Amino acid sequence: MKRDDYLPEEAEIIEVIQETGSNLNIKTFHLKLIGDDPVFDFKPGQFLMLTVHGVGEAPFGLASSPSNRDRIVISVKETGKVTAALHELTVGDKVGLRGPYGNSFPVEEHKSQEIIFISGGIGLAPLRSAIDYVLDPDNRGDYGRVQMLQAFRSPEDMLYDYDQPRWEDAENIDIKYTIDKPCEDWEHCVGFPHKLIEDEIDCIIEGAKYYVCGPPIMIKSVINELLEIGIKPKDIITTLEMRMSCGLGKCGKCNIGHRYVCKDGPVFSYQELLDMPEEF
């Protein structure tokens, strides 16, 4: 059944996970649609519009793999009225959902290739959808080695600590973690991700794709470093989640040049971004 692009459907919160402390205040919500068609079909990289009843609506990137159709997962940083109200909700509360919207990470086109995921903070959330899809046992044989460089402000700000052991145990994978400043008992990297790429990632010029997501300044710094190394713009993939708005490109707030992030994105290759104004 085709979902209505404009009418939210009722969903129930079935699990809430506090990901970080009060500094960043990120929570992960597991949701389930209520009604005759509870299956929410989507692709890695797409997003949904969530309504907190009586408060408002906001876009959120999907953090779950489409391979798991039992629940819808989003990770939310408290930044405004809607996200603050959502953070007050708990298991059993109801919200409205529209979607999915936007394009997706081109994981199907990148089969047989090596994939490198580089994330900063909550930028790991949309990548989680693609990571879990690529590492799914049913799909793992379709892809080459997976590398990750995950950046967080501090150990307390690390996301998905319950996923990390599973990811580390996956076949043919190499994961590096970094934080902004040294701290006691931290045994991994220290420093911003763009300064670690050359030393901590086995950068492949041909036959690899680089998925990058994080704060805009981090995305730009990482992309510049990858270009310096010789990675081609077409092999760098990012998502402009910060520019998502109504989901349909109707309000115009997601407009960048001749493209609408809600309709044409949020996923773009850097090659595509080069043809757009430098507003991302």
Side-chain angles (χ1 to χ4, degrees):
M1 183 176 71
K2 186 181 185 306
R3 299 189 184 281
D4 192 308
D5 281 341
Y6 295 90
L7 290 178
E9 295 182 56
E10 201 78 343
E12 180 179 354
I13 298 173
I14 58 175
E15 186 177 0
V16 181
I17 300 171
Q18 179 74 54
E19 296 282 355
T20 63
S22 57
N23 283 343
L24 290 176
N25 204 9
I26 297 172
K27 290 184 177 181
T28 291
F29 294 85
H30 291 235
L31 312 165
K32 192 175 186 64
L33 284 173
I34 303 169
D36 296 334
D37 184 12
V39 175
F40 192 76
D41 284 320
F42 64 94
K43 297 178 180 177
Q46 287 192 292
F47 67 100
L48 55 74
M49 301 295 299
L50 182 143
T51 299
V52 178
H53 298 303
V55 179
E57 185 181 52
F60 299 102
L62 287 150
S64 46
S65 168
S67 301
N68 183 354
R69 294 154 61 97
D70 294 336
R71 55 182 60 194
I72 304 160
V73 179
I74 58 172
S75 294
V76 179
K77 180 179 179 180
E78 184 180 340
T79 58
K81 188 170 65 174
V82 174
T83 54
L86 179 57
H87 270 234
E88 292 298 317
L89 300 184
T90 188
V91 172
D93 287 334
K94 308 295 192 303
V95 295
L97 294 185
R98 293 193 287 128
Y101 296 112
N103 64 356
S104 59
F105 289 116
V107 287
E108 295 299 320
E109 299 173 22
H110 296 163
K111 286 182 176 179
S112 80
Q113 302 209 26
E114 185 163 321
I115 298 183
I116 296 99
F117 296 99
I118 304 174
S119 64
I122 198 170
L124 180 58
L127 294 183
R128 181 179 185 265
S129 182
I131 291 167
D132 271 350
Y133 181 82
V134 170
L135 298 183
D136 187 292
D138 290 338
N139 304 322
R140 186 69 193 95
D142 294 334
Y143 298 90
R145 178 175 53 163
V146 169
Q147 297 184 69
M148 294 189 213
L149 176 57
Q150 300 179 22
F152 305 99
R153 287 184 182 177
S154 70
E156 291 74 27
D157 299 317
M158 198 166 179
L159 298 181
Y160 311 130
D161 57 354
Y162 44 88
D163 283 332
Q164 305 294 353
R166 176 170 55 86
W167 289 346
E168 290 172 359
D169 288 342
E171 184 181 348
N172 201 14
I173 193 167
D174 187 15
I175 305 177
K176 301 290 177 62
Y177 308 99
T178 183
I179 57 176
D180 290 357
K181 299 176 181 177
C183 72
E184 192 174 355
D185 296 330
W186 179 256
E187 298 177 344
H188 304 281
C189 304
V190 175
F192 297 117
H194 66 284
K195 294 184 178 295
L196 298 170
I197 287 174
E198 197 159 6
D199 291 334
E200 300 298 335
I201 293 179
D202 182 13
C203 291
I204 308 296
I205 305 298
E206 298 289 344
K209 302 296 179 184
Y210 296 77
Y211 288 37
V212 182
C213 191
I217 185 72
M218 172 262 176
I219 292 176
K220 290 182 180 180
S221 300
V222 167
I223 288 176
N224 287 338
E225 185 63 25
L226 291 174
L227 295 173
E228 280 286 320
I229 293 170
I231 308 302
K232 297 181 177 64
K234 68 180 180 60
D235 294 329
I236 303 171
I237 314 296
T238 190
T239 175
L240 303 185
E241 294 224 326
M242 301 286 285
R243 298 299 298 263
M244 297 184 309
S245 186
C246 73
L248 299 167
K250 299 293 187 184
C251 70
K253 293 180 180 177
C254 67
N255 174 243
I256 303 177
H258 64 291
R259 309 295 287 271
Y260 289 84
V261 172
C262 285
K263 290 173 57 181
D264 304 317
V267 177
F268 296 94
S269 71
Y270 186 61
Q271 185 66 59
E272 293 174 305
L273 294 180
L274 289 174
D275 295 328
M276 298 161 61
E278 291 188 19
E279 299 177 18
F280 71 93

